[in-house]
Amino acid sequence: APTDAGFVAIACGTSHSVALRNDGTVVAWGSNSNGQRNDAPTRAAFVAIACGGDHSVGLRNDGMVATWGDNSIGQRNDAPTCAGFVAIACGRDHSVGLRNDGMVATWGADEQRQ
């Protein structure tokens, strides 16, 4: 876990955690079995973060989403590549993004129609 100050948001997955610094960078710690730590972006300017079971999502200040960690069910590769997102959330194996036009995008697991 980080020992310095300056964090504005935190999120937890099954065995990893992510914190958002006031400068928009993220710090990840805990398990790295699926890249939850080492794949975390280090230079992007984030405004929000969310964690799923073994993956994480960050909302960048330009409205784009960034994903890292597990991709066994499309948690990363199926993420949208367009801008315009204003909020994000994660379930265990899926993620959701709210766009500025009110539309919702989902990616990752879909076995329960999530």
Side-chain angles (χ1 to χ4, degrees):
T3 57
D4 53 336
F7 293 95
V8 296
I10 53 175
C12 294
T14 300
S15 56
H16 75 289
S17 301
V18 178
L20 176 64
R21 285 195 166 108
N22 56 13
D23 67 359
T25 59
V26 296
V27 175
W29 66 96
S31 175
N32 194 47
S33 60
N34 290 292
Q36 302 96 305
R37 278 193 340 251
N38 292 350
D39 291 347
T42 57
R43 300 229 184 256
F46 290 100
V47 296
I49 53 173
C51 288
D54 289 326
H55 73 287
S56 299
V57 178
L59 176 61
R60 297 186 345 198
N61 64 356
D62 62 2
M64 300 282 291
V65 295
T67 59
W68 63 95
D70 190 17
N71 190 45
S72 61
I73 313 174
Q75 299 97 312
R76 291 173 44 190
N77 288 353
D78 292 344
T81 57
C82 56
F85 286 90
V86 296
I88 53 170
C90 291
R92 186 184 76 203
D93 292 320
H94 72 289
S95 299
V96 189
L98 175 64
R99 294 183 42 83
N100 58 10
D101 61 5
M103 298 294 292
V104 173
T106 63
W107 63 95
D110 190 30
E111 70 273 0
Q112 302 295 320
R113 299 185 54 90
Q114 56 274 48

